[in-house]
Amino acid sequence: MSSSTLKTGLVQHAVGADLAATRALTEAGVRDAAARGARLVLLQELHQSSYFCKVEDPELFDLAEPIPGPGTEWLGRLAAELSVVIVGSLFERRAAGIYHNTAVVLESDGRLAGRYRKAHIPDDPAYYEKFFFTPGDDDLRPIETSVGRLGVLVCWDQWYPEAARLMALAGADMLLYPTAIGRSAEDPPEEQRRQQDAWETVQRGHAVANGLPVLACNRVGFEHDPSGATRGITFWGNSFACGPQGEVLARAGDTPETLVVDLDLQRSERVRRMWPFLRDRRIDAYGDLLLRYRD
């Protein structure tokens, strides 16, 4: 990289049922970030559609597409026009009966630089992702781009220190998390606050433990539950960027916003010299991490 400072953009917005209208919002955010100097733009999880996993409906598999396909072609054209690297998030049809929640990385010349299929799949009320998504079988390795080695993970992966660590051990320059997470009206306000605080805290913890900057981009807005089983989800936004000591560099609110923030890519080197956590790992003592539980 020609400079130690990388200007990045995070595009958070509400999502509706109309693909063209939603893409227009996404594109406007990417253009805004690029106009403000961003060379890397992160989009939110499943940014082309409303969060459809609220119900287990087989017809919703029709939202999926191949990769490469229409979604990557659209993002590739935009990346090439604006000379930015774009990290998007698509519902992938890999084969009949095999679908993935997949992050894609479009290089600044428009080519597909790589993809990552979400490894950890939740199954909670209003988040019935196990019905839709096969766990990814990609190596947990960063994707090489002109702006650095991107450790791309997706939403539920954010709760797992193992995933972040493996990306760091493979040479990631930063960790990126497109997410779709929000609060349920069924939960009391204090529980809603705890959940949002936990979501930010664990990702900042990955930054600290690995000495890497983290970008997390989350959607906003209320989306109803068509089954009527819940009162729907209010996605809390609050996309943020933090440095390698977990220091918050910028944070969005809970309304549509394009956040632009500078990352000091040399800071990880300085921090790791002071806090050499990777050096001091006791890899000889960790064999039981391969067990589900230590009975």
Side-chain angles (χ1 to χ4, degrees), residues 77-160:
R77 288 194 297 270
L78 190 59
E81 178 190 343
L82 300 174
S83 296
V84 297
V85 174
I86 298 176
V87 179
S89 175
L90 302 172
F91 184 17
E92 178 189 7
R93 182 191 184 278
R94 186 177 184 181
I98 303 178
Y99 299 80
H100 296 284
N101 185 334
T102 302
V104 292
V105 178
L106 286 305
E107 184 51 272
S108 57
D109 59 4
R111 64 184 173 84
L112 181 62
R115 51 119 236 273
Y116 165 75
R117 292 167 172 146
K118 185 175 180 178
H120 302 91
I121 311 297
D123 189 65
D124 295 319
Y127 294 87
Y128 298 114
E129 294 197 13
K130 278 186 166 62
F131 179 78
F132 293 98
F133 306 133
T134 301
D137 51 6
D138 293 319
D139 229 357
L140 288 164
R141 290 186 177 274
I143 296 170
E144 295 277 352
T145 74
S146 58
V147 296
R149 296 181 296 274
L150 307 184
V152 180
L153 298 162
V154 177
C155 201
W156 198 243
D157 293 328
Q158 69 211 353
W159 303 105
Y160 296 87

Side-chain angles (χ1 to χ4, degrees), residues 44 165 231:
Q44 59 204 19
R165 177 71 89 206
R231 283 180 278 172

Side-chain angles (χ1 to χ4, degrees), residues 16 48 65 117 164 166 201 237 258 277 289:
Q48 293 198 125
E65 61 180 81
R117 292 167 172 146
L166 286 171
T201 300
T258 297
F277 299 143
L289 286 176

Side-chain angles (χ1 to χ4, degrees), residues 20 23 25 42 52 59 80 106 113 123 132 140 148 168 202 210 237 251 264 266 276 292:
R23 279 189 174 182
L25 291 174
L42 174 63
F52 53 86
E59 291 188 7
L106 286 305
D123 189 65
F132 293 98
L140 288 164
V202 74
N210 295 290
R251 184 190 292 112
D264 180 352
Q266 291 184 346
R292 179 70 64 186

Side-chain angles (χ1 to χ4, degrees), residues 13-14 219-223 233-237 254:
H13 58 75
R219 66 171 65 199
V220 299
F222 173 77
E223 296 184 23
I233 302 171
T234 300
F235 294 95
W236 60 54
D254 60 2

